[in-house]
Amino acid sequence: MGCAHRCPIRLELLTEIDGAGVGGLDRIVYGVRARDWKPEFLDQALRRYEACQAAAPGPQSLKDAERADALRQFQLFKGSLQQRDRLLAQEVRQASAQTAAAQSGAAQVGQRDGVLTWAYVQRRAGSASDESPFTITCAEPNQLPRDLLTLSPQSQLELPKFYAACVQAQQLVSGPSATLFKESIDELARERQAQAGFLAGVRTLVAAPPQQQTHQSVSALEKANRFQASSEPAVNAVAKQLATLRQQIDARECSAHGKQAGIPEDLLKAHYLIEWATPAPLVGMACVAARNGVSFRFSAKSLLSKDSFEMKGTPGVKVVLSRQDTAEGTTLLVPLEGTIQGKTFVVTRQNLQVLAQQIRLALKSQ
């Protein structure tokens, strides 16, 4: 008879210390839960087994073979402890992730097998509905949209909470990914603050008296508006208010600039054929010139001359015009002759665009 029938250590039971079987980590193995087994317990069990096996009857060759087999199995049991340790670590991660998710205050933060996850959605500017959710982990900030303001308003509020949960659960590994995540959080805060400033600025200007509603004040807000793709509904509404204000100011200021440039009353609503089939308001040219500090002068027709305008920019441009009535009841000014830097030429359909380019250059110069 071999000693396995009489010794108190049943080696097959020790396979359960890996915590993977029935009862899991709380399975009792020789009075100790699988989660509480330590390497020294295995050493004690091996010594007890060897003492029992040495005292058992039988030939020494059989004992030696049984002991060799036992030593091999105990090495496997140490591997079982390592597997058990992985389960314990996973249990800790899962509990930590569950706690962090619960305390995050974000509805879309959850966990999967101990890994924190967050489902964000994007919303197109001007849309009332969200796109399909996209799920990322703490290690995937590179999966965030490039423009963080395209996140839905709710996702914008949840992103910092997800980051805080990742920190709490210790799932941010230092390196490029963690740096990118922190930079994304800071960027979102800056952009939301800038957006709020833009919204407040437009609302303040819209409510301001007319003397404060100027080309300069509107231009400053137009330059500050980098939020066209934002999911914030107020941005779209405020942008429309700003566009309306721009039209009102242009109508008021450009009419005044046109009169100062010598445009007669009957031509204040006239259009100039800047390119073929592309007329532009005449007062608009006078307005751009005045705002850019370029001298623009219109000379109305007389008995001895036709209508013309002249800009003393870079280059200097003078254009002689003819009037045509349109079907819409407005006047169209068609260029007949152009002079650029002292060189005069007849305007044709072929060189009309060249003249237009020189006019635009002159309007931009100071």
Side-chain angles (χ1 to χ4, degrees):
M1 291 174 58
C3 72
H5 296 288
R6 300 191 300 274
C7 285
I9 299 296
R10 293 176 55 192
L11 299 185
E12 70 273 12
L13 294 181
L14 292 178
T15 60
E16 297 170 351
I17 64 175
D18 62 5
V22 178
L25 292 169
D26 291 317
R27 174 67 179 263
I28 303 297
V29 182
Y30 282 112
V32 179
R33 293 184 305 174
R35 69 172 62 250
D36 297 325
W37 265 80
K38 299 178 181 180
E40 51 265 35
F41 294 172
L42 280 179
D43 294 337
Q44 293 172 8
L46 177 59
R47 288 195 297 271
R48 183 177 297 180
Y49 177 86
E50 288 178 330
C52 173
Q53 194 258 3
Q60 188 61 39
S61 59
L62 177 60
K63 293 182 180 182
D64 291 342
E66 289 180 336
R67 183 175 184 279
D69 183 63
L71 289 173
R72 181 187 61 79
Q73 292 189 62
F74 271 91
Q75 284 300 118
L76 294 177
F77 297 152
K78 290 181 180 180
S80 297
L81 281 185
Q82 294 175 350
Q83 180 178 346
R84 186 279 317 270
D85 290 343
R86 287 193 289 270
L87 290 178
L88 285 174
Q90 181 178 344
E91 184 182 67
V92 171
R93 284 196 303 271
Q94 188 160 350
S96 177
Q98 288 175 337
T99 300
Q103 294 178 353
S104 69
Q108 298 306 315
V109 173
Q111 65 89 26
R112 182 175 60 244
D113 297 329
V115 177
L116 278 174
T117 62
W118 178 55
Y120 72 77
V121 293
Q122 289 182 269
R123 179 181 297 176
R124 295 186 183 276
S127 174
S129 58
D130 296 333
E131 297 182 3
S132 299
F134 190 89
T135 302
I136 64 172
T137 68
C138 299
E140 298 174 321
N142 59 314
Q143 299 297 318
L144 290 169
R146 179 168 298 180
D147 185 350
L148 295 173
L149 291 181
T150 62
L151 292 171
S152 71
Q154 183 61 35
S155 289
Q156 289 182 37
L157 294 176
E158 288 195 354
L159 178 55
K161 296 178 180 179
F162 177 52
Y163 176 78
C166 291
V167 173
Q168 178 181 340
Q170 298 182 344
Q171 294 193 13
L172 276 181
V173 180
S174 60
S177 180
T179 301
L180 176 61
F181 206 158
K182 182 62 168 63
E183 289 174 349
S184 298
I185 297 301
D186 294 341
E187 178 187 351
L188 177 60
R190 287 194 302 270
E191 287 299 285
R192 283 175 61 84
Q193 185 176 14
Q195 179 177 266
F198 167 72
L199 296 175
V202 173
R203 289 165 179 157
T204 299
L205 187 59
V206 168
Q211 59 267 28
Q212 295 180 17
Q213 298 173 338
T214 64
H215 164 68
Q216 290 78 10
S217 60
V218 170
S219 293
L221 288 169
E222 288 172 336
K223 291 177 181 177
N225 183 16
R226 58 178 184 274
F227 313 110
Q228 290 85 352
S230 173
S231 65
E232 173 56 54
V235 169
N236 190 45
V238 161
K240 290 180 180 178
Q241 288 181 306
L242 188 60
T244 299
L245 190 57
R246 163 57 74 191
Q247 293 175 351
Q248 294 171 350
I249 290 174
D250 282 353
R252 182 175 71 243
E253 291 188 358
C254 291
S255 178
H257 287 311
K259 292 177 181 179
Q260 291 172 0
I263 299 176
E265 195 73 32
D266 61 334
L267 291 182
L268 287 176
K269 294 184 178 180
H271 285 70
Y272 166 69
L273 189 63
I274 184 88
E275 291 188 60
W276 194 256
T278 310
L282 178 64
V283 294
M285 294 172 58
C287 197
V288 172
R291 288 170 176 174
N292 289 342
V294 176
S295 173
F296 180 97
R297 190 67 192 169
F298 188 90
S299 299
K301 67 179 180 177
S302 65
L303 292 175
L304 300 178
S305 64
K306 295 181 179 293
D307 292 314
S308 67
F309 65 80
E310 184 175 4
M311 288 183 291
K312 296 181 179 179
T314 305
V317 177
K318 181 178 180 180
V319 181
V320 178
L321 309 159
S322 70
R323 301 189 187 189
Q324 293 183 7
D325 294 330
T326 67
E328 292 79 16
T330 60
T331 300
L332 179 65
L333 299 174
V334 179
L336 299 176
E337 183 181 274
T339 301
I340 300 174
Q341 297 294 77
K343 295 182 179 181
T344 301
F345 57 92
V346 175
V347 178
T348 65
R349 185 169 181 174
Q350 286 69 35
N351 62 19
L352 180 62
Q353 188 172 12
V354 175
L355 177 61
Q357 291 173 345
Q358 296 301 308
I359 289 173
R360 292 190 178 103
L361 284 174
L363 287 172
K364 291 179 181 179
S365 64
Q366 294 185 7

